[in-house]
Amino acid sequence: MIENWLERKEVCICCGSGGVGKTTASAAIALGMAARGKKVVVLTIDPAKRLANSLGLAELGNEERLVEADVEGELWAMMLDPKRTFDDIVEWHAPDERTRDAVLSNRIYQELSNAVAGSQEYMAMEKLYELHQEGRYDLLVLDTPPTRNALDFIDAPKKLAAFIDSRALQFFTAPGALSLKLVGRGGGLVFSGLKRATGIDLLDDLSTFFSSFAGMTEGFRERAGHVNELLADSRTAFVLVTSPRSDAIEEAGWFHHRLMDAGLPFAGAVANRVRPAPPRGDAGAEVEELLDGPLARKVLRTWEEERQLAKRDRANLATLRRRLGRKPIIEIPYIDDDVHDIDGLRKMDEYLF
Ligand SMILES: Nc1ncnc2c1ncn2[C@@H]1O[C@H](COP(=O)(O)OP(=O)(O)OP(=O)(O)O)[C@@H](O)[C@H]1O
Ligand SMILES: [Mg+2]
């Protein structure tokens, strides 16, 4: 199944709303493709500790590691550390060491890259692009972060480019940075008060920051453009992960719509943790024969509830199927004992592939 979606693809992006199983699906897809002879790397974001451990990713690091798994190809994994990647970009674009150090050690930059530019989404895209450029893998599988706005990552490259083009930035980076002098005059009192109180020369920091950053904006913009191209490329496949619950299905429909709108290559959806329908027929007689009255009633009630939930899942999936038109949906049932290691991922294999 999913190997058909990924035929001739070099990038697979697993997206979807929070908690539906993006990280698990990414890892299972990567493992499955590696088992089928490919050299695969999975870029994962903040996975559960147990999954990270089982992939040999006890700590964060922006380096891929070979996962010990008995596969025909190779499985590599990497846990994204957004901050480091942002630093890597500065490193990449800075014209010289002095500029690089000036930016990296700058307090404003540190704040920016921690908070504002905690645009994890964009950083993940950057790393993806970089690895794709290097061409060392047959397939890159990207897990996406649990964003409030589940689609932030699609807009991230555009947003960064917009920020770079923004008047605000140009205002500060204009030759002579008149603006800084203005700020200096108007805010002088504040800044010097701050300096006295904290020892931090904010104005100086600001001015160093913007003048070092100015030479790098072109590079950033260009990269954001390339990242956008990679996302829309026919070698990329977007896999939408969803749960069969109605709120998730609702979001998945909207997600799909947005992907199509943005002209991104949507491959299909994975409906994860689908409740299997209990066997048909009347269990009542059998249960009552085996169990005492009150217990039998309880069991039957649970049975009936399960049946209702399974029925609801089916109805929700039918809704999704209508929304997706001809695009395929793969169903993965609820797997007992949550999926947190290679064995668990292998259990998902049977459904995905
Ligand atoms: N088919 C399944 N059966 C049972 N448990 C599952 C299944 N798929 C995922 N899980 C479990 O559900 C939990 C959430 O999965 P996962 O972390 O992959 O979701 P996510 O979409 O990446 O979440 P987030 O949006 O927070 O990143 C994990 O504990 C995982 O082990
Ligand atoms: Mg996750």
Side-chain angles (χ1 to χ4, degrees), residues 9-245:
K9 299 288 185 183
E10 295 168 14
V11 173
C12 168
I13 302 179
C14 294
C15 53
S17 32
V20 292
K22 298 177 296 294
T23 301
T24 315
S26 311
I29 291 171
L31 178 67
M33 292 301 280
R36 286 158 185 82
K38 301 271 188 205
K39 183 172 177 188
V40 189
V41 61
V42 54
L43 310 184
T44 167
I45 296 174
D46 193 26
K49 248 210 147 46
R50 285 192 295 175
L51 181 61
N53 283 341
S54 120
L55 295 175
L57 298 173
E59 62 218 66
L60 274 174
N62 269 16
E63 290 296 322
E64 315 94 86
R65 306 216 184 141
L66 184 63
V67 178
E68 281 192 41
D70 189 17
V71 289
E72 205 176 304
E74 281 176 29
L75 175 62
W76 292 74
M78 185 178 115
M79 189 139 64
L80 290 166
D81 170 358
K83 178 66 168 45
R84 271 286 299 288
T85 315
F86 206 74
D87 291 354
D88 289 348
I89 305 177
V90 170
E91 190 122 351
W92 182 291
H93 292 296
D96 51 55
E97 267 178 44
R98 256 193 49 219
T99 312
R100 183 198 64 196
D101 293 343
V103 174
L104 290 185
S105 62
N106 190 283
R107 235 171 259 121
I108 313 236
Y109 166 77
Q110 287 167 357
E111 291 294 318
L112 253 170
S113 62
N114 273 331
V116 186
S119 88
Q120 261 190 334
E121 303 74 33
Y122 181 71
M123 297 314 136
M125 297 300 147
E126 271 280 347
K127 194 72 202 180
L128 184 77
Y129 173 72
E130 196 183 304
L131 286 173
H132 188 255
Q133 279 297 95
E134 291 169 7
R136 283 182 285 126
Y137 298 95
D138 300 323
L139 179 70
L140 304 155
V141 182
L142 179 74
D143 172 26
T144 56
T147 35
R148 274 146 289 118
N149 174 353
L151 275 163
D152 277 358
F153 77 94
I154 292 178
D155 296 327
K158 264 182 239 137
K159 264 196 221 145
L160 185 73
F163 168 71
I164 287 165
D165 287 330
S166 71
R167 280 165 165 271
L169 193 62
Q170 279 167 14
F171 182 68
F172 281 112
T173 55
L178 173 69
S179 43
L180 280 180
K181 293 193 192 103
L182 290 180
V183 173
R185 195 172 294 163
L189 218 58
V190 181
F191 284 124
S192 62
L194 201 71
K195 189 177 169 185
R196 261 200 315 279
T198 63
I200 296 174
D201 191 345
L202 195 58
L203 197 57
D204 196 44
D205 260 14
L206 259 175
S207 134
T208 328
F209 175 69
F210 286 115
S211 54
S212 344
F213 199 74
M216 295 171 40
T217 52
E218 194 48 48
F220 270 102
R221 195 205 334 260
E222 208 184 301
R223 285 267 283 197
H226 288 316
V227 170
N228 269 332
E229 279 164 27
L230 176 61
L231 293 186
D233 199 286
S234 60
R235 289 168 296 176
T236 298
F238 279 84
V239 171
L240 180 55
V241 185
T242 182
S243 111
R245 289 179 41 157

Side-chain angles (χ1 to χ4, degrees), residues 17-24 143-144 146 272-273 332-335 338-340 348:
S17 32
V20 292
K22 298 177 296 294
T23 301
T24 315
D143 172 26
T144 56
N272 189 29
R273 281 187 289 202
I332 301 180
Y334 211 103
I335 292 171
D338 76 352
V339 183
H340 54 76
M348 289 179 86

Side-chain angles (χ1 to χ4, degrees), residues 177-333:
L178 173 69
S179 43
L180 280 180
K181 293 193 192 103
L182 290 180
V183 173
R185 195 172 294 163
L189 218 58
V190 181
F191 284 124
S192 62
L194 201 71
K195 189 177 169 185
R196 261 200 315 279
T198 63
I200 296 174
D201 191 345
L202 195 58
L203 197 57
D204 196 44
D205 260 14
L206 259 175
S207 134
T208 328
F209 175 69
F210 286 115
S211 54
S212 344
F213 199 74
M216 295 171 40
T217 52
E218 194 48 48
F220 270 102
R221 195 205 334 260
E222 208 184 301
R223 285 267 283 197
H226 288 316
V227 170
N228 269 332
E229 279 164 27
L230 176 61
L231 293 186
D233 199 286
S234 60
R235 289 168 296 176
T236 298
F238 279 84
V239 171
L240 180 55
V241 185
T242 182
S243 111
R245 289 179 41 157
S246 51
D247 49 344
I249 292 286
E250 197 55 44
E251 261 186 77
W254 175 80
F255 222 109
H256 169 250
H257 183 74
R258 283 289 315 275
L259 287 173
M260 301 313 278
D261 241 21
L264 297 171
F266 173 65
V270 170
N272 189 29
R273 281 187 289 202
V274 178
R275 279 167 292 222
R280 283 172 177 282
D282 185 19
E286 202 176 327
V287 170
E288 269 160 17
E289 198 174 300
L290 290 167
L291 301 169
D292 286 348
L295 190 55
R297 274 197 296 281
K298 263 190 195 159
V299 168
L300 283 175
R301 198 160 54 227
T302 312
W303 175 274
E304 188 46 37
E305 274 166 16
E306 281 295 314
R307 194 198 293 282
Q308 288 306 325
L309 289 173
K311 218 162 128 187
R312 200 177 307 161
D313 280 4
R314 300 252 62 86
N316 289 338
L317 287 176
T319 306
L320 182 66
R321 198 156 288 121
R322 278 195 299 278
R323 295 252 179 105
L324 299 193
R326 266 205 278 256
K327 289 295 180 184
I329 301 177
I330 290 178
E331 291 180 29
I332 301 180

